[in-house]
Amino acid sequence: MLLLKLFFAFIQVGLFSVGGGYAAIPLIQEQIVNIYGLMTLEEFSDLITVAEMTPGPISINSATFVGMRIAGVPGALLCTLGCILPSFCICLTLAHFYYKYRTVKGVQVVLGSLRPAVVALIGSAGTSILVLGLFQSGLKEIVLENIRVVELGIFAVSLFLLRKFKCSAITIILGSGVAGTLIYVLLGAV
């Protein structure tokens, strides 16, 4: 029953995550954390962090990691298949119709109207991860006195380096990991 539940949860994620991997994160969170309660928000945040660092599409990595965490190898396979199957079928169908009707103005209007929704989904996922990363875990409210100063500093420096110097994401991820580890070792918090 759990495997079937996971499969159908990720079919819904695959079906409604218009806009790619990051747009799928709030949908996965809704299914796994909020609806089925199979993970806590903190566990989910950790899982997303690992999925982002792993090569490949984040939605598929997330599906695989969630399935593995909850139901082992069969769960990983079914979650991944559930996440991929709708996209595969939809892409085949849309590719056929897009190729045939790509010059029709209505097609361009529909595609243009989906863009703001995709931006909102990505913004929602980013905000959730930002709040989990910067504020003490398990808190229901965002209170400035509960902010994690080290994480805020790493976030600010990373954002500055990304925007000002266009550093690679790999350099930022590795540098943040090293900086965070060094800071916490020096503070004696590890």
Side-chain angles (χ1 to χ4, degrees):
M1 186 65 179
L2 177 64
L3 290 175
L4 198 58
K5 199 183 289 188
L6 285 171
F7 180 70
F8 284 119
F10 278 95
I11 285 242
Q12 291 175 39
V13 169
L15 191 58
F16 295 108
S17 59
V18 177
Y22 288 105
I25 293 172
L27 299 174
I28 296 171
Q29 176 185 335
E30 179 69 19
Q31 292 290 323
I32 299 305
V33 176
N34 300 342
I35 293 175
Y36 294 116
L38 298 171
M39 288 183 157
T40 66
L41 195 54
E42 190 169 280
E43 289 173 324
F44 181 74
S45 176
D46 292 343
L47 183 132
I48 293 299
T49 302
V50 173
E52 285 178 334
M53 293 187 305
T54 308
I58 190 168
S59 60
I60 296 170
N61 291 348
S62 299
T64 305
F65 289 148
V66 165
M68 188 69 178
R69 166 77 171 71
I70 294 172
V73 174
L77 292 172
L78 282 175
C79 288
T80 304
L81 181 64
C83 191
I84 294 171
L85 191 60
S87 300
F88 179 75
C89 295
I90 291 169
C91 281
L92 281 179
T93 305
L94 287 178
H96 171 73
F97 286 110
Y98 180 74
Y99 182 72
K100 193 171 183 177
Y101 300 108
R102 68 180 174 260
T103 58
V104 176
K105 184 166 175 60
V107 171
Q108 297 304 318
V109 169
V110 168
L111 293 175
S113 64
L114 288 174
R115 286 187 192 110
V118 170
V119 170
L121 286 170
I122 293 170
S124 172
T127 303
S128 294
I129 292 169
L130 182 69
V131 167
L132 284 169
L134 294 183
F135 294 92
Q136 293 178 11
S137 62
L139 298 175
K140 302 281 185 202
E141 297 179 26
I142 298 173
V143 181
L144 287 180
E145 63 192 33
N146 293 328
I147 198 160
R148 295 176 175 163
V149 178
V150 172
E151 284 83 349
L152 178 62
I154 291 173
F155 170 76
V157 170
S158 297
L159 185 62
F160 175 76
L161 292 173
L162 283 167
R163 301 300 298 165
K164 180 75 174 171
F165 297 107
K166 309 291 187 224
C167 291
S168 81
I170 295 168
T171 304
I172 296 297
I173 290 170
L174 292 174
S176 297
V178 169
T181 302
L182 288 174
I183 290 168
Y184 277 113
V185 166
L186 291 174
L187 293 175
V190 177

